[in-house]
Amino acid sequence: MREQVVCKTTDIQPGQMMESVFGKQDVLVCRTPDGDFYAFRNQCTHQGAPLHKGMMCGATTEQSEPGEYQYCHRGEIIRCPWHGREFDIKNDGRMLANPDKKLPSFKVRVENENVIVYK
Amino acid sequence: MPKQRIPLVDTDIHERVQYEELLQYLDEPFKHYITNCHWIQEKHMPYTQPSVAGVDRADAVVPDGRPAGSDLAFMQEQLLDDIGHEFGILTGALDPSPSSMHGWYEMAAALASAYNDWQIDKWLDQDERLYGSVHVAAQDRDEAVKEIERVGDHPKMVQVLLPIDDIMWGDPYYHPIFEAAEKHDLMIGMHHNEPPVYYGKWPRYFIEWHTLIPTAHMKQVTNMIFNGVFDKFPNLGLMMIEGGFTFIPHLMWKMDQQFRDLRHEVPWLKRKPSDIMKDQVRFCTQPSEELNKKDFMSLIDQMGTDEMICFATDYPHWDYDSPHRALPNLDPELKQKIYSENARNFYPKIPKSGGEIT
Ligand code: FES
């Protein structure tokens, strides 16, 4: 399958995500607070949890010094529903604790009201 | 994607009670303390599990909104049927955890009895795959023995549950509990509750506490062994639940070396500590540490046996281990042992014959 409509733009509000399918694959479609759409494989790279059951949130950052919390990337982080690993939506789905690992992603474009995933 | 089914004996599943469900199994005045005086068990942990849904998997909340682990039908759908469990052992949600109450032992003992009756009624009698743990108020030793005598013969009660908290259970004062357990073919299951693993207090961060949980498990195993529990009760076994297993070789080597030097102090030990462990102590695999196959096999090699560890999911908690993904891909014979046979051989009341894992 080359491309497929996975949802309508109105199906997801900014800051939310939903599950869909692309061919035989489970896909997680995310919409960041700035309105952009992203799509990843809907399975955590750790033990395979369904990511749409997790949450989109922000993250404490590595700029924090011991004893202080800096929090940003609001709405741009996917957190796994099981062990809580964090994946940065705007950084290619890279895991915060180990940026060498990332969620497999799909290309996305929006045409009219349609969110289209393609390879 | 259709998943391969795994005929598993899952050694740690947390069913959860809500206090109002216990009321019908409680007598007065204890009922009154809950309904009118709003009693709930003391809590100590200064942090939450900083995950998506606290202590639970975020997807394990019951669809009607009740907390994870509180509904049998949903547990069947999400866990037992989905994975292909042959058997699962219920270990409670540690709330209430009668043996962890630091006072008011009468309430603790009443809660333990009510909990056991609820567990039998609502879980063990409702699904033939589920086996249970006898809850007791072990700080009141004699009440604990009475409770074991009361429900210990239930064919699906497989162990007595003791928390890893601030009591070292190997002390001879508690041996009547082990005597009663052995009499009813019950093993001892130990699960940490809120152990003060940090010099009797809490470390500053949850991640420190959670990292060090195995040290609390090591203390209890060491204590049970050097206090002579296993020679005194040769048919008793100890299952260490949710401390992982990668510390086992260290503990065996350390205890054996100490035993060679200091045996004089504990003359009641008839076997070297590592042999006692191999014979009578088992460890749940969860939470596993993402070993590759080579490292995993080297660890088994260092243990000197592949019969000491038993797979556990810890459903529905946030640090759940997936039977499909938590351990490396092992050879079928070893897989069969870790996922099923080791637990069957450990618990006398669990049926012996098993399915094949392919
Ligand atoms: S399965 Fe996602 S963090 Fe473990």
Side-chain angles (χ1 to χ4, degrees), chain A residues 44 46-49 80 82-85:
Chain A
C44 184
H46 177 216
Q47 289 193 17
C80 176
W82 292 1
H83 314 99
R85 292 191 183 186

Side-chain angles (χ1 to χ4, degrees), chain A residues 13-115:
Chain A
Q13 294 307 306
Q16 294 187 339
M17 59 185 176
M18 66 177 278
E19 63 173 330
S20 184
V21 286
F22 176 53
K24 290 196 174 124
Q25 304 201 59
D26 292 329
V27 168
L28 178 75
V29 188
C30 308
R31 190 170 187 190
T32 46
D34 58 11
D36 290 346
F37 288 89
Y38 297 84
F40 301 95
R41 186 161 171 222
N42 187 22
Q43 207 184 76
C44 184
T45 50
H46 177 216
Q47 289 193 17
L51 290 169
H52 72 282
K53 297 278 189 180
M55 71 196 307
M56 275 170 71
C57 55
T60 51
T61 72
E62 60 184 20
Q63 277 77 45
S64 306
E65 292 292 325
E68 70 168 26
Y69 288 109
Q70 291 202 8
Y71 190 83
C72 63
H73 296 299
R74 285 171 201 271
E76 296 176 0
I77 304 293
I78 300 163
R79 267 202 100 177
C80 176
W82 292 1
H83 314 99
R85 292 191 183 186
E86 302 157 290
F87 301 94
D88 188 341
I89 297 172
K90 292 223 174 252
N91 189 16
D92 221 8
R94 290 181 193 280
M95 192 199 302
L96 293 194
N98 180 4
D100 291 345
K101 299 235 175 202
K102 51 182 188 173
L103 296 176
S105 57
F106 301 90
K107 292 186 189 132
V108 180
R109 70 172 193 273
V110 175
E111 272 176 20
N112 305 321
E113 295 281 276
N114 295 324
V115 180

Side-chain angles (χ1 to χ4, degrees), chain A residues 26 41 43-48 50 53-55 67 69 79-85, chain B residues 1 50-53 56-59 204-205 288 290 318-323 325-326:
Chain A
D26 292 329
R41 186 161 171 222
Q43 207 184 76
C44 184
T45 50
H46 177 216
Q47 289 193 17
K53 297 278 189 180
M55 71 196 307
Y69 288 109
R79 267 202 100 177
C80 176
W82 292 1
H83 314 99
R85 292 191 183 186
Chain B
M1 189 172 58
S51 53
V52 172
D56 297 314
R57 263 173 55 168
D59 61 339
R204 183 152 164 161
Y205 300 107
S288 63
E290 295 180 87
W318 71 278
D319 46 351
Y320 169 86
D321 263 350
S322 160
R325 299 278 294 270

Side-chain angles (χ1 to χ4, degrees), chain B residues 25-317:
Chain B
Y25 303 97
L26 270 177
D27 286 332
E28 294 295 6
F30 304 107
K31 230 173 170 165
H32 163 76
Y33 293 130
I34 293 178
T35 38
N36 302 322
C37 311
H38 311 295
W39 177 88
I40 53 168
Q41 193 174 340
E42 61 195 304
K43 288 277 167 273
H44 311 284
M45 188 183 270
Y47 6 72
T48 182
Q49 281 84 349
S51 53
V52 172
V55 71
D56 297 314
R57 263 173 55 168
D59 61 339
V61 176
V62 181
D64 64 14
R66 278 175 299 150
S70 58
D71 184 71
L72 173 61
F74 189 60
M75 180 190 285
Q76 288 167 331
E77 179 191 325
Q78 190 169 46
L79 182 75
L80 307 175
D81 300 343
D82 187 56
I83 302 290
H85 280 55
E86 282 186 303
F87 303 111
I89 299 171
L90 299 177
T91 51
L94 304 164
D95 180 13
S97 173
S99 297
S100 284
M101 285 178 60
H102 293 90
W104 209 18
Y105 301 162
E106 299 84 353
M107 181 66 166
L111 277 170
S113 298
Y115 193 94
N116 291 330
D117 291 341
W118 169 83
Q119 185 191 175
I120 290 169
D121 209 14
K122 296 291 195 274
W123 298 82
L124 307 188
D125 286 353
Q126 306 299 326
D127 189 313
E128 59 182 20
R129 293 166 291 192
L130 293 176
Y131 284 73
S133 303
V134 178
H135 291 241
V136 293
Q139 34 334 34
D140 188 334
R141 178 194 70 185
D142 299 335
E143 282 299 316
V145 168
K146 269 194 229 158
E147 184 61 13
I148 296 169
E149 294 293 347
R150 190 179 74 88
V151 292
D153 264 343
H154 190 282
K156 298 184 86 190
M157 284 292 195
V158 297
Q159 65 191 356
V160 174
L161 199 62
L162 295 177
I164 301 171
D165 193 327
D166 57 0
I167 296 176
M168 303 286 262
W169 300 109
D171 187 318
Y173 174 78
Y174 298 105
H175 288 193
I177 292 174
F178 303 133
E179 187 181 340
E182 192 183 47
K183 181 174 147 197
H184 293 282
D185 277 341
L186 299 166
M187 303 290 107
I188 300 296
M190 282 196 199
H191 189 297
H192 54 274
N193 188 3
E194 292 193 342
V197 293
Y198 178 76
Y199 309 122
K201 295 195 283 181
W202 292 93
R204 183 152 164 161
Y205 300 107
F206 178 83
I207 194 170
E208 297 176 76
W209 176 74
H210 204 252
T211 298
L212 293 175
I213 284 172
T215 63
H217 287 238
M218 290 165 74
K219 286 174 192 160
Q220 292 287 355
V221 173
T222 305
N223 174 254
M224 291 281 279
I225 286 181
F226 287 134
N227 278 267
V229 172
F230 298 107
D231 276 312
K232 190 165 168 186
F233 305 105
N235 296 317
L236 192 72
L238 172 64
M239 178 66 83
M240 299 304 295
I241 306 165
E242 207 174 336
F245 60 97
T246 51
F247 59 87
I248 298 175
H250 162 74
L251 191 58
M252 293 171 108
W253 294 326
K254 179 55 83 183
M255 281 198 294
D256 283 357
Q257 174 269 329
Q258 295 282 294
F259 181 67
R260 285 190 288 271
D261 300 348
L262 302 171
R263 180 224 56 84
H264 199 273
E265 189 187 19
V266 288
W268 42 82
L269 253 65
K270 312 281 187 285
R271 294 162 288 167
K272 65 175 175 176
S274 64
D275 284 341
I276 294 174
M277 272 173 75
K278 284 181 194 165
D279 288 343
Q280 288 171 267
V281 187
R282 298 290 175 267
F283 299 83
C284 295
T285 49
Q286 186 272 343
S288 63
E289 288 139 332
E290 295 180 87
L291 301 185
N292 60 33
K293 187 171 179 181
K294 180 165 160 279
D295 291 343
F296 187 92
M297 293 313 297
S298 127
L299 200 62
I300 298 270
D301 200 36
Q302 290 172 32
M303 290 179 208
T305 172
D306 57 8
E307 295 179 354
M308 229 180 341
I309 58 177
C310 305
F311 193 88
T313 61
D314 190 34
Y315 178 91
H317 289 168

